[in-house]
Amino acid sequence: MMDLIKRYIYAVTQKLSESQRTEIEKELHGLIEDMLEDRGAHVETATNQEVEQVLLELGPPEEMAARYRGRERYLIGPGLIDSYKSVLRIVLYSLGILLSFAYIVDFFTSSEPAGELLIEYFVSLLNGEIQAFVWVTVIFAYLEYRGTKQVPKDAWKPYDLPIIPDPATQIKPIEPVLGIIFSLLFFVLFTFSIDLISVYRWDESLVAIPVFAQAAFAKYLPLIWILTAIGILQDIIKLIARKWTPQVVVVRVVFNIASVIGAIILLSDTTIWNPTFMDQLVQAGTLTPGNEAYDVVNSIWDRAREGLIYVIVIIAVIDTASVIMKLFRSKEGKTVLTK
């Protein structure tokens, strides 16, 4: 019966801030021991019925956690506040670093006056940080709202408690953190610095030959923002859940599907590609028409659009299969399959 007690304490403490968890875990364990002793039982030898009666008397984990928190009037409650602060720091710091790096590259490669570049940098930084703060806050507020509005259909039973996740099936925090950073890199690159995706050649000065037509690409910025938001959302959910659950897997699969659809829409539009790319390579002295290198690069350029779509589809399929297998290997996955 120790397993059921541990599951109850785990369910309660996961809804509290990290600073409270250790102390309240000890307090709850002592409380349950005392309640069992009042019934003439010991925690190690108590029967199923005795432990179940004690846990029913204590009430659902959500209600017990609410008693420890006191009066609840939160936009983002204690159960999510630590994750919120961590994600917000990661997003704001990473975005600032990425925008600063993009500015430094522009400073050395752009022909625009340094003053104008500096103004653009500060405007982009301020705008980006404000948007990041708003979106992260909105996402966590929504998750908090969903959590507080979930009402069980049936009376709570101790055996409904979730299983404590096996360390082998847990999601390491570094994984969603890297995912958030990658999403921000994707956002900064395609929103503010798409001209950095170029072929570079040094010939007395640095020559950059852009891969994309920036003006034509601008119409797809809302799609880039949506994909970034979905990517950060699924990484936030992973950071909060810390384990592969059916809900986490569903969000991941939705993200993969959205990424494939977005890639097909984006890359299939021939107008986003630099129409004079090959000519610019020739003018820069990188290639010479008629030789083997020119023919190889020209062939790769012609097939780049289709090839990138295939690569993205293959990566999405492999990733989807991988996360589904992780779910099947987890205890929770096995429980779901047997229901």
Side-chain angles (χ1 to χ4, degrees):
M1 282 298 97
M2 279 297 295
D3 178 64
L4 192 60
I5 294 171
K6 289 179 180 178
R7 285 161 59 186
Y8 182 83
I9 295 173
Y10 176 83
V12 173
T13 55
Q14 289 303 298
K15 301 180 186 306
L16 302 170
S17 62
E18 291 184 8
S19 60
Q20 295 178 285
R21 290 175 186 175
T22 302
E23 181 181 347
I24 290 176
E25 180 178 346
K26 294 178 181 177
E27 184 178 328
L28 266 178
H29 198 280
L31 177 62
I32 292 171
E33 282 188 353
D34 292 342
M35 293 177 71
L36 285 171
E37 288 176 0
D38 290 343
R39 289 169 168 76
H42 189 269
V43 68
E44 301 289 346
T45 58
T47 64
N48 295 359
Q49 186 177 6
E50 288 170 333
V51 171
E52 187 173 1
Q53 287 176 349
V54 166
L55 297 183
L56 283 171
E57 186 176 335
L58 290 174
E62 295 81 4
E63 294 181 8
M64 176 60 70
R67 293 188 202 117
Y68 279 110
R69 290 196 298 260
R71 189 179 181 186
E72 294 187 84
R73 296 187 66 180
Y74 305 111
L75 177 64
I76 300 170
L80 293 178
I81 193 65
D82 292 314
S83 297
Y84 167 71
K85 290 178 180 178
S86 298
V87 170
L88 191 60
R89 280 195 296 267
I90 293 167
V91 169
L92 295 182
Y93 291 159
S94 300
L95 187 60
I97 292 170
L98 292 171
L99 285 174
S100 299
F101 175 77
Y103 165 73
I104 292 171
V105 173
D106 279 343
F107 180 81
F108 287 104
T109 59
S110 177
S111 58
E112 293 184 41
E116 290 184 12
L117 286 175
L118 188 60
I119 292 173
E120 289 178 6
Y121 163 70
F122 281 117
V123 170
S124 299
L125 183 63
L126 180 63
N127 183 49
E129 297 283 8
I130 291 174
Q131 286 192 47
F133 173 79
V134 170
W135 278 110
V136 171
T137 303
V138 166
I139 289 172
F140 271 92
Y142 172 73
L143 293 174
E144 178 71 25
Y145 174 80
R146 283 291 303 271
T148 57
K149 289 297 180 181
Q150 289 178 350
V151 179
K153 296 179 180 178
D154 303 315
W156 176 78
K157 299 176 183 177
Y159 288 96
D160 294 333
L161 289 166
I163 295 173
I164 298 175
D166 187 336
T169 62
Q170 287 184 301
I171 300 172
K172 296 180 180 179
I174 188 64
E175 183 180 338
V177 167
L178 290 176
I180 291 171
I181 293 174
F182 177 80
S183 295
L184 291 172
L185 176 61
F186 174 78
F187 169 77
V188 170
L189 191 61
F190 285 95
T191 302
F192 301 106
S193 305
I194 194 172
D195 53 307
L196 293 181
I197 306 176
S198 303
V199 173
Y200 293 93
R201 176 183 171 83
W202 182 266
D203 186 14
E204 296 184 355
S205 63
L206 188 63
V207 177
I209 302 170
V211 172
F212 296 105
Q214 189 170 0
F217 199 92
K219 63 184 176 183
Y220 290 108
L221 287 181
L223 177 61
I224 297 297
W225 300 337
I226 291 172
L227 290 176
T228 301
I230 296 174
I232 292 177
L233 173 62
Q234 61 104 15
D235 281 313
I236 288 174
I237 292 174
K238 284 165 62 179
L239 195 61
I240 294 171
R242 299 290 179 93
K243 60 182 178 180
W244 291 105
T245 66
Q247 294 79 10
V248 174
V249 171
V250 167
V251 174
R252 181 71 174 190
V253 172
V254 169
F255 171 70
N256 287 340
I257 293 172
S259 298
V260 169
I261 294 173
I264 293 173
I265 293 172
L266 190 64
L267 299 176
S268 296
D269 186 352
T270 57
T271 64
I272 69 169
W273 302 90
N274 182 359
T276 61
F277 180 75
M278 292 302 299
D279 293 336
Q280 287 180 278
L281 286 177
V282 172
Q283 291 172 8
T286 305
L287 295 174
T288 302
N291 64 18
E292 185 178 353
Y294 179 91
D295 293 337
V296 170
V297 173
N298 191 44
S299 176
I300 294 173
W301 176 250
D302 290 339
R303 299 176 182 177
R305 181 176 68 252
E306 183 178 334
L308 281 173
I309 292 175
Y310 284 143
V311 169
I312 292 171
V313 170
I314 290 171
I315 292 174
V317 170
I318 292 173
D319 183 73
T320 299
S322 174
V323 297
I324 290 175
M325 288 177 64
K326 288 176 183 176
L327 176 64
F328 273 65
R329 286 198 298 265
S330 69
K331 293 180 181 180
E332 185 168 346
K334 293 176 183 177
T335 302
V336 171
L337 291 173
T338 56
K339 286 184 179 181

